Amino acid sequence: EAGVAQSPRYKIIEKRQSVAFWCNPISGHATLYWYQQILGQGPKLLIQFQNNGVVDDSQLPKDRFSAERLKGVDSTLKIQPAKLEDSAVYLCASSEAGGTYEQYFGPGTRLTVT
Amino acid sequence: GENVEQHPSTLSVQEGDSAVIKCTYSDSASNYFPWYKQELGKGPQLIIDIRSNVGEKKDQRIAVTLNKTAKHFSLHITETQPEDSAVYFCAARSRHAGGTSYGKLTFGQGTILTVHP
């Protein structure tokens, strides 16, 4: 079974620039999550999708972050404009349905904002 | 919202020793407590989990205990091996308002475990 795929793996941008991350969940997984993991901390949930609908985006900084999952499969997370404090690893995870099952994480995208 | 505290932040043991990592949570309605292992450059991987209706669970060298009254849970690794070296995270799943559970996990800060040969 193929795991959660993410790209790119690394990205370096200057502050105020824009960046987008892509995630392809495990086939058949209805629930998709985006987490932000700052160095030395645990992952923090940014947004959760159930199919193509948003279940929880309470911790997403909506003035600069946006995410979509148009066809209920893959997803993109965008930051515009980036700030220095956005430097982190962005993890995508998926689970079978309703969040009651194990969450499988992708390898993450390491973002450095200079 | 849920708050998870994890201790210690670093743990160094000799190969063959046991390692214990402890977590506390704040939301008494949380009902699912997974533990993840994260190796360098990789995403977290589930190693064991426990639900609120169970007090203890064991899987070979790994065990987890849950005390709902005290709102704390612990990871126990016995006969540690160098390949156990990694960052370990505990997490708690809280419910949305209205009682619906959608799997939102709140993670602890992580424990860097180093097993010396």
Side-chain angles (χ1 to χ4, degrees):
Chain A
E1 174 181 85
V4 176
Q6 290 189 247
S7 67
R9 292 296 314 276
Y10 306 92
K11 190 74 177 179
I12 300 174
I13 62 172
E14 295 182 351
K15 59 183 179 183
R16 291 187 289 274
Q17 285 187 327
S18 302
V19 64
F21 312 126
W22 175 82
C23 172
N24 191 12
I26 293 173
S27 178
H29 280 193
T31 310
L32 185 147
Y33 314 78
W34 282 103
Y35 289 87
Q36 179 192 57
Q37 185 175 24
I38 293 173
L39 185 65
Q41 299 182 18
K44 182 184 81 171
L45 181 69
L46 292 176
I47 188 167
Q48 177 179 344
F49 292 94
Q50 180 79 6
N51 295 308
N52 61 347
V54 175
V55 171
D56 186 343
D57 62 357
S58 58
Q59 298 189 97
L60 186 74
K62 299 181 186 63
D63 58 333
R64 299 183 300 106
F65 286 64
S66 65
E68 60 182 14
R69 194 185 184 199
L70 293 176
K71 297 183 179 179
V73 181
D74 56 351
S75 175
T76 56
L77 175 69
K78 298 178 181 178
I79 307 175
Q80 180 180 3
K83 293 185 175 182
L84 295 177
E85 57 261 37
D86 297 332
S87 293
V89 174
Y90 291 85
L91 295 162
C92 179
S94 69
S95 64
E96 286 189 13
T100 57
Y101 299 92
E102 175 181 351
Q103 294 185 23
Y104 295 84
F105 283 82
T109 297
R110 180 175 297 278
L111 173 67
T112 302
V113 182
T114 62
Chain B
E2 175 66 275
N3 182 52
V4 177
E5 297 288 334
Q6 181 173 346
H7 299 279
S9 56
T10 61
L11 180 59
S12 183
V13 300
Q14 290 295 129
E15 183 176 1
D17 288 349
S18 295
V20 180
I21 302 171
K22 299 181 178 182
C23 289
T24 60
Y25 62 99
S26 61
D27 187 354
S28 56
S30 288
N31 62 355
Y32 173 66
F33 307 91
W35 285 88
Y36 287 85
K37 176 183 181 182
Q38 187 173 28
E39 297 175 320
L40 200 61
K42 297 183 179 180
Q45 181 181 15
L46 181 73
I47 56 172
I48 196 167
D49 56 15
I50 191 167
R51 299 180 189 271
S52 58
N53 58 349
V54 175
E56 184 174 356
K57 183 177 179 181
K58 189 174 181 180
D59 182 5
Q60 299 182 347
R61 297 186 296 110
I62 295 174
V64 58
T65 58
L66 171 65
N67 183 327
K68 286 191 297 181
T69 302
K71 289 191 281 189
H72 67 69
F73 55 114
S74 301
L75 176 71
H76 304 255
I77 306 174
T78 59
E79 301 173 24
T80 53
Q81 301 167 2
E83 49 265 39
D84 294 330
S85 296
V87 182
Y88 290 80
F89 292 97
C90 62
R93 185 181 73 184
S94 55
R95 292 181 178 274
H96 280 256
T100 302
S101 176
Y102 282 104
K104 176 179 179 178
L105 290 177
T106 300
F107 285 80
Q109 300 91 328
T111 296
I112 302 172
L113 174 64
T114 304
V115 180
H116 299 281

